Amino acid sequence: MSDSSLAMNKGGAWRSMALWKKIFIGMLAGVAVGAFLGPDAEILKPIGTLFINAIKMLIVPLVFCSLVVGVTSMKDSAKMGRIGIKSIVIYLLSTAVAISIGLGLGTVFMPGEGLNMVADTSAAAAAKEAPSLVTTIINLIPKNPIEALASGKILQIIVFALGLGIALNMIGETGKPAIKLFNSLAEGMYKLTSMVMNFAPYGIFALMAWVAGKYGADVLLPLAKVIAAVYIGCIVHVLVVYTGAIALIAKLPPVQYLKGIVSAQMMAFTSTSSSGTLPVSLRCARENLGVSKGTASFVLPLGATINMDGTALYQGVAALFVAQAFGIDLSMADYMTIIATSTLASIGTAGVPGAGLIMLSLVLSTVGLPMEGLAIIAGIDRILDMARTCVNVSGDLMVSVLIGKSENELDTDVYKSDEPQVATQS
């Protein structure tokens, strides 16, 4: 075989390879290159930034169009309300379980015990103030929906899209042209997402090279217990809680669920953005898990905004780390306060990189822990953010399967298939 034929065969093998495998190869190659180049891997960061910018470009129009389509496809308003309530209840319950797992692992690992922390108040001061529950509720309604769309205020966009979708359904025949337009726009966004995702392996390669080059062993080793506790907790939550829910509640094989969400997990792990991963999550839900377009378009954008299981788990480990490092004993009431605060705060915290620090500042202040602890956690926040975002996205997809199954909006043939398909339900 000639060299040119061999090269063509290799190129064909790469093109026919599953996306998640390409992304995984890109991750491994990025880690290796980053470890070799060290700080010089910074030169690759712009490539990853371009990819992340392309993903961010998709978020607002995709969320808006897909939500309008999801609402208008549900002609039964009672059904839409039922799905919304189910989704929120499951999201909040799984968040409470996640924070409990984090507290348990923090107690077992004792990551802050005997650590001589040197506080850097500048990092703590740089943390944004977490929004109060009242502020979050008030800010649900956008004063100017165009400004909300331009600013990427996801909660306000969701409320406006829900309202518009309901209104279009209520006006009957008059609303059909607009509904058709939004369906067309949504399909266009799905196609654009597919085009952007073709570049994912290269963007993720660059991002992982930069992370590996910047966060070497010198930074990771002193806080290895924190990282280990968070990562173990995230793995347990996905493999026990999520797969358990799939098997016991939906009565479906959990292995297919794990296979179907790999691409979204890889994207979440490297981008550290639940909202940024939304385009890939929608694709996984429809093509791999068999969730109908209407259900996926409604449940997943909602989850990307209010479901923060991985972040909540991280709160438990981080809060105990700070308490142990500063020699502060927490009471059972403090533990319950951390669980309640983290669960409620997850509703008002955006699914963007670094949002975990905002939640952590709220948790620390609520139970009276030193805010200086933020400075220490901030040093490894990117590493922790990768794992917790992966869990957040996995949870979104788990809930979409549960809701789809309970509403007869899940194509089990697609779910059980090893080849990407599109659910027959609209």
Side-chain angles (χ1 to χ4, degrees):
M1 182 179 291
S2 65
D3 291 341
S4 59
S5 298
L6 185 61
M8 288 177 64
N9 287 337
K10 288 182 178 179
W14 174 256
R15 283 193 296 270
S16 62
M17 187 180 297
L19 180 62
W20 73 266
K21 292 181 181 179
K22 293 181 183 179
I23 292 175
F24 187 67
I25 291 171
M27 280 182 58
L28 294 180
V31 170
V33 170
F36 177 74
L37 293 179
D40 291 336
E42 181 78 19
I43 62 173
L44 294 172
K45 187 182 178 183
I47 299 173
T49 302
L50 284 173
F51 173 65
I52 293 300
N53 287 346
I55 288 291
K56 289 180 178 178
M57 172 186 72
L58 302 171
I59 296 172
V60 169
L62 182 64
V63 168
F64 183 67
C65 293
S66 63
L67 265 178
V68 173
V69 168
V71 172
T72 54
S73 67
M74 297 181 194
K75 305 300 181 183
D76 184 354
S77 59
K79 177 181 178 181
M80 184 180 64
R82 187 171 65 247
I83 289 177
I85 292 172
K86 283 182 182 178
S87 301
I88 292 172
V89 169
I90 296 173
Y91 283 139
L92 293 182
L93 285 175
S94 62
T95 298
V97 171
I99 181 66
S100 301
I101 291 174
L103 289 171
L105 287 169
T107 302
V108 172
F109 276 76
M110 301 291 287
E113 188 177 36
L115 181 63
N116 184 19
M117 293 176 63
V118 179
D120 180 1
T121 55
S122 61
K128 298 179 182 178
E129 184 180 353
S132 66
L133 182 59
V134 173
T135 301
T136 299
I137 294 173
I138 292 174
N139 289 337
L140 284 175
I141 307 297
K143 297 177 182 177
N144 183 344
I146 304 302
E147 189 273 334
L149 288 165
S151 302
K153 297 177 180 177
I154 300 297
L155 274 175
Q156 294 187 358
I157 292 171
I158 287 176
V159 171
F160 179 58
L162 292 177
L164 180 60
I166 293 171
L168 289 174
N169 269 344
M170 292 176 68
I171 60 177
E173 289 294 324
T174 308
K176 286 186 176 180
I179 293 173
K180 187 176 180 180
L181 172 63
F182 278 110
N183 271 282
S184 180
L185 288 172
E187 289 300 326
M189 290 307 304
Y190 298 145
K191 183 61 178 178
L192 182 57
T193 298
S194 178
M195 293 163 60
V196 170
M197 284 308 298
N198 287 331
F199 294 96
Y202 312 103
I204 287 171
F205 161 78
L207 286 171
M208 289 306 298
W210 167 66
V211 170
K214 183 175 181 180
Y215 301 97
D218 290 342
V219 175
L220 302 183
L221 289 178
L223 295 168
K225 282 187 177 181
V226 176
I227 296 170
V230 170
Y231 272 71
I232 289 173
C234 288
I235 292 170
V236 168
H237 197 63
V238 173
L239 295 184
V240 176
V241 178
Y242 291 163
T243 60
I246 294 290
L248 298 177
I249 300 176
K251 307 294 184 182
L252 292 169
V255 173
Q256 297 300 117
Y257 157 75
L258 293 174
K259 287 181 179 179
I261 66 174
V262 171
S263 295
Q265 286 181 319
M266 294 290 184
M267 181 64 207
F269 190 78
T270 51
S271 71
T272 66
S273 171
S274 299
S275 297
T277 308
L278 185 57
V280 189
S281 298
L282 284 165
R283 184 177 177 182
C284 287
R286 295 182 63 196
E287 297 181 6
N288 300 344
L289 300 178
V291 181
S292 70
K293 181 172 70 174
T295 300
S297 298
F298 183 85
V299 173
L300 292 176
L302 184 65
T305 306
I306 71 171
N307 179 43
M308 298 287 164
D309 284 8
T311 306
L313 191 151
Y314 146 87
Q315 305 299 315
V317 176
L320 285 188
F321 166 77
V322 173
Q324 293 159 6
F326 281 91
I328 299 173
D329 293 326
L330 297 177
S331 65
M332 183 56 66
D334 290 327
Y335 282 99
M336 298 306 296
T337 300
I338 292 173
I339 293 173
T341 303
S342 296
T343 302
L344 294 175
S346 68
I347 299 175
T349 307
V352 297
L357 282 178
I358 301 174
M359 282 182 67
L360 182 58
S361 67
L362 176 61
V363 171
L364 294 182
S365 61
T366 302
V367 294
L369 292 174
M371 294 296 288
E372 289 82 357
L374 282 173
I376 307 301
I377 296 296
I380 56 170
D381 186 64
R382 173 78 188 197
I383 304 297
L384 302 178
D385 207 356
M386 297 163 88
R388 66 186 185 233
T389 306
C390 187
V391 172
N392 293 342
V393 169
S394 301
D396 296 344
L397 287 161
M398 179 272 295
V399 173
S400 75
V401 172
L402 295 186
I403 299 298
K405 184 68 186 305
S406 70
E407 296 290 331
N408 292 320
E409 294 283 343
L410 186 137
D411 190 327
T412 54
D413 290 335
V414 174
Y415 180 89
K416 295 177 181 179
S417 174
D418 289 328
E419 296 297 328
Q421 301 180 47
V422 177
T424 56
Q425 299 99 322
S426 60

